[in-house]
Amino acid sequence: MTRGTGDFKGNKGYLPSKPCLACGRAMSWRRAWAKNWDAVRYCSEACRRRRAAAKPP
């Protein structure tokens, strides 16, 4: 059954990835991020909060 996901074929190696700005861990593309993949910066809510707390006021 094809879902129109391009080269996915059930292997996450085919999905785009990029590093988290807070921890540097690689983030794989997720369906929830499909509409705003370019705006995704952090791998988790915890990393987003950690990065925001580290910024000087």
Side-chain angles (χ1 to χ4, degrees), residues 18-28 30 33 37 40-51:
K18 60 184 172 182
C20 173
L21 291 179
C23 67
R25 203 176 312 161
M27 301 181 291
S28 293
R30 297 181 190 173
W33 294 339
W37 175 243
V40 174
R41 297 182 190 163
Y42 307 107
C43 64
S44 65
E45 186 66 24
C47 279
R48 187 189 65 77
R49 278 187 261 133
R50 189 177 313 126
R51 185 71 173 205

Side-chain angles (χ1 to χ4, degrees), residues 3-5 8 15 28-37:
R3 293 184 184 180
T5 56
F8 176 57
L15 296 175
S28 293
W29 182 90
R30 297 181 190 173
R31 185 175 288 177
W33 294 339
K35 293 182 181 177
N36 64 344
W37 175 243

